[in-house]
């Protein structure tokens, strides 16, 4: 398929909770191809379907060359104490802010054959699993920022050339 354009902050699809995927058909298979193509460029850890304008529960990830996807992902476990980690987002280009994330995360879902799958990990993978699941719930990382950082981030968004 093709790498899709990333939707930017302000697009309503980014604040809309995504619908579960029912039947796995050619449309869903094409979505997965687009998600995988869209996460391959350097510097991308994950892409949620909502970020490419599709309101379905699916995301792709690319961590240290390990590329995959999850359909109907559910964040089923986090472990450890939430830590502030520098986080950015393709939908909010150029901004990085300390965001509370757990050091371990586990997501369950299905693959294109409808079989159960699980993705879990620490570090950047844990951060990506939490970040992408948030997207599918209509939440951006900016929503998790503390009051002062959120105020600064919103000022930076308003002053950005892309907004």
């Amino acid at each position: 398929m093709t790498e899709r354009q990333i939707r930017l902050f302000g697009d309503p699809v980014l604040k809309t909770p995504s619908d579960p995927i029912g039947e796995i058909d050619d449309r869903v298979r094409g979505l997965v191809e687009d998600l995988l193509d869209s996460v391959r460029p350097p510097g991308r850890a994950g892409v949620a379907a909502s970020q490419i304008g599709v309101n379905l529960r699916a995301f792709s990830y690319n961590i240290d060359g390990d590329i995959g996807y999850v359909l109907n992902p559910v964040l089923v476990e986090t472990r450890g104490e939430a830590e502030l980690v520098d986080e950015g987002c393709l939908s909010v280009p150029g901004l990085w802010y300390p965001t509370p994330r757990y050091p371990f995360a586990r997501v369950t879902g299905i693959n294109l054959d409808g079989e159960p799958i699980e993705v879990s990990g620490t570090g950047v993978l844990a951060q990506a699993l939490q970040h992408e699941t948030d997207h599918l719930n209509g939440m951006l990382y900016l929503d998790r920022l503390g009051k002062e950082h959120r105020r600064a981030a919103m000022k930076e968004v308003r002053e950005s050339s892309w907004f």
Side-chain angles (χ1 to χ4, degrees), residues 59-73:
F59 69 73
S60 57
Y61 59 89
N62 181 357
I63 308 297
D64 297 327
D66 180 20
I67 298 173
Y69 70 92
V70 182
L71 305 179
N72 292 332

Side-chain angles (χ1 to χ4, degrees), residues 50-61:
S50 56
Q51 289 182 281
I52 60 172
V54 179
N55 190 26
L56 289 174
R57 293 192 68 80
F59 69 73
S60 57
Y61 59 89

Side-chain angles (χ1 to χ4, degrees), residues 2 6 12 17 32 39-40 66 79-80 86 103 108 117 123-124 127 132 135 140 142 145 152-154 162:
T2 187
I6 301 294
V32 168
V39 81
R40 289 185 199 283
D66 180 20
R79 269 193 245 145
D86 280 341
T108 60
I117 59 172
V124 175
Q127 185 178 358
E132 301 312 324
H135 271 303
L140 294 169
L142 299 176
L145 300 180
M154 295 312 296
W162 53 263

